[in-house]
Amino acid sequence: MPEADVAIIGAGAAGLSLAHRLACPPPRPGRLSIVLVDAPPGPLRPPRRTWCFWEAGRGRFDAAVTRSWHRLRVHHPSGEPVQHDIAPLTYKMIRSDDFERLVERDLARSALVQRLEAKVESIEDLPRGARVNTRTPEGHADSLRARWVFDSRPLGSLPAARTTLLQHFHGWFVRTDRPVFDPARVEFMDFRTAQPARGLSFGYVLPTGPREALVEYTEFSPAVLAPDAYDTALRHYTGGVLGLSDVEVIGTETGVIPMTDARFARRTGACVFRIGAAGGATRPSTGYTFSGVQRQTAAVAAALRQGRDPVPPQPHTARARGMDAVLLHALDSGLVDGAAFFSRLFARVPMARLLRFLDGDTRWHEDLAIGLHAPVLPMLRAALELPGLPRRPFLR
């Protein structure tokens, strides 16, 4: 049976990030042997996607960044825009293909990581380790023994929660005949879209040049739409709201991100852990995941190098998760108007501070000051109702 110090299952953002942190630069003085298990081509592999996040200064994966911006704009439902420079933060966009190429290039230079293409069928606890049972693309059963196993595969079902909304979106990569986009500014949340009965919706524009952009329609609501409804919403947004004509669609992107106050198990065996979205890296109130993945994998890599028990940390503080649970209930129950709620916050709070708040990087007195700009009575009612809500499985 092949053996390794670390087995990483899944080569998405979390799996590749952890492998990159363990191998580049190599650990000293000890050397960790790493096996990265990636699913064969097909439905088990993650689709191509775009990740966005904000950070101050240079980042670990800047070489893979497609575009970055310092100005964000938010449109109130009535059309009144609020625009801010977010310095010292930078809003960054990475395409998954570029991220994979960067990580794979760096891993190829390291002798510490072995790539294995196989479907993982089960994981068994062993004394001081675990066995990963796999099946090769040719159909042969095989296995791998590792001291530590980190599983980044998506969950088959969501844990029970008091509130679960879905952030579902469909985007067009578009090209226009004339320059219509401002390459220096992101349309971060444009609420001039038809709002659902529960939750909220908005348009989102990431310009990669004067004539090219990713334009998305996004909803936070209890259920996804019929496939053609997204194209209808995008046609209305690009034509009726943005006033664009003769738009050429050169690519598409679709996704569904759970926004939930569920408790995600980060340890599933004595030496087996979950990382990434399956390990709670997604921020419940926003759906952003990439920054949480980086905090989590950095902590795991540090623990492994120091010989500590490498339990993946919770990427978001208890205070942040508590505030998220209140907001999710307020949106789901209709206690607050989602579009008006976010528009009001972005109009009254400096955008850089609000982004730090959304990333869990503010102190309690800053959180309190931001909270005073929210509709206090509805949010207080949501907070009082929350403890009495049962946790139920998400069946949709």
Side-chain angles (χ1 to χ4, degrees):
M1 185 188 303
E3 294 191 11
D5 296 310
V6 177
I8 302 171
I9 302 173
L16 289 176
S17 294
L18 180 56
H20 193 266
R21 290 181 181 278
L22 290 174
C24 310
R28 295 188 179 89
R31 292 169 60 88
L32 292 168
S33 58
I34 305 152
V35 174
L36 179 60
V37 185
D38 192 10
L44 294 180
R45 280 201 179 177
R48 293 176 179 175
R49 72 202 91 173
T50 301
W51 297 306
C52 290
F53 58 100
W54 50 87
E55 62 183 346
R58 291 190 55 79
R60 184 180 186 89
F61 301 110
D62 275 0
V65 169
T66 304
R67 187 85 189 189
S68 61
W69 303 267
H70 291 284
R71 284 194 288 137
L72 305 184
R73 186 162 71 174
V74 173
H75 272 275
H76 188 274
S78 67
E80 302 163 3
V82 175
Q83 179 175 293
H84 289 286
D85 190 304
I86 62 171
L89 301 177
T90 303
Y91 193 69
K92 300 179 180 181
M93 168 189 180
I94 292 182
R95 302 292 305 277
S96 59
D97 286 353
D98 297 327
F99 178 78
E100 290 167 9
R101 279 192 288 269
L102 170 66
V103 173
E104 288 168 0
R105 181 201 68 191
D106 291 346
L107 294 184
R109 298 171 179 170
S110 170
L112 301 178
V113 180
Q114 175 188 349
R115 301 292 294 265
L116 175 64
E117 189 175 282
K119 175 186 176 182
V120 174
E121 298 193 323
S122 63
I123 305 171
E124 301 175 46
D125 275 326
L126 297 174
R128 291 188 56 78
R131 178 167 54 231
V132 181
N133 297 309
T134 63
R135 192 164 297 277
T136 68
E138 296 76 26
H140 303 304
D142 208 343
S143 60
L144 160 72
R145 178 173 179 149
R147 177 68 182 90
W148 306 107
V149 176
F150 298 91
D151 191 350
S152 68
R153 294 173 297 171
L155 297 176
S157 60
L158 292 174
R162 292 169 296 196
T163 310
T164 296
L165 293 175
L166 300 177
Q167 179 180 152
H168 47 107
F169 57 89
H170 183 63
W172 290 346
F173 292 90
V174 302
R175 181 182 294 132
T176 60
D177 291 335
R178 54 188 178 86
V180 295
F181 301 111
D182 181 352
R185 182 186 65 218
V186 170
E187 299 291 346
F188 190 62
M189 284 180 146
D190 189 342
F191 293 109
R192 296 174 296 174
T193 53
Q195 296 300 312
R198 292 167 62 188
L200 64 118
S201 73
F202 57 90
Y204 179 57
V205 182
L206 294 171
T208 54
R211 297 175 52 245
E212 294 186 340
L214 169 59
V215 183
E216 285 191 351
Y217 172 80
T218 300
E219 268 196 25
F220 299 175
S221 59
V224 299
L225 306 178
D228 59 350
Y230 295 101
D231 286 327
T232 299
L234 276 169
R235 282 192 293 269
H236 171 261
Y237 181 62
T238 55
V241 176
L242 299 181
L244 304 181
S245 58
D246 299 324
V247 171
E248 179 188 3
V249 179
I250 57 177
T252 63
E253 168 175 285
T254 300
V256 181
I257 302 170
M259 303 173 67
T260 175
D261 64 357
R263 297 167 180 155
F264 289 84
R266 285 165 286 126
R267 188 169 205 155
T268 58
C271 303
V272 183
F273 309 97
R274 288 194 184 121
I275 57 173
T282 300
R283 180 72 194 263
S285 61
T286 66
Y288 282 92
T289 304
F290 195 81
S291 294
V293 163
Q294 300 315 314
R295 288 192 291 271
Q296 195 177 61
T297 54
V300 167
L304 286 167
R305 287 174 174 165
Q306 295 163 14
R308 294 185 283 111
D309 200 10
V311 179
Q314 173 56 255
H316 311 292
T317 66
R319 186 171 77 248
R321 299 195 308 275
M323 291 186 293
D324 286 353
V326 172
L327 176 58
L328 288 176
H329 174 53
L331 290 173
D332 187 47
S333 63
L335 288 171
V336 299
D337 178 309
F341 175 87
F342 281 103
S343 297
R344 179 173 174 172
L345 282 185
F346 279 104
R348 299 186 179 190
V349 180
M351 199 169 288
R353 183 184 303 167
L354 191 53
L355 291 178
R356 289 195 300 108
F357 169 76
L358 294 176
D359 212 23
D361 193 31
T362 46
R363 299 184 177 182
W364 69 267
H365 64 277
E366 293 177 292
D367 295 347
L368 179 60
I370 291 171
L372 292 176
H373 293 293
V376 176
L377 291 180
M379 295 300 286
L380 180 60
R381 178 178 169 183
L384 293 174
E385 291 178 353
L386 193 64
L389 298 178
R391 291 186 178 270
R392 295 191 177 98
F394 185 71
L395 301 178
R396 289 180 289 276

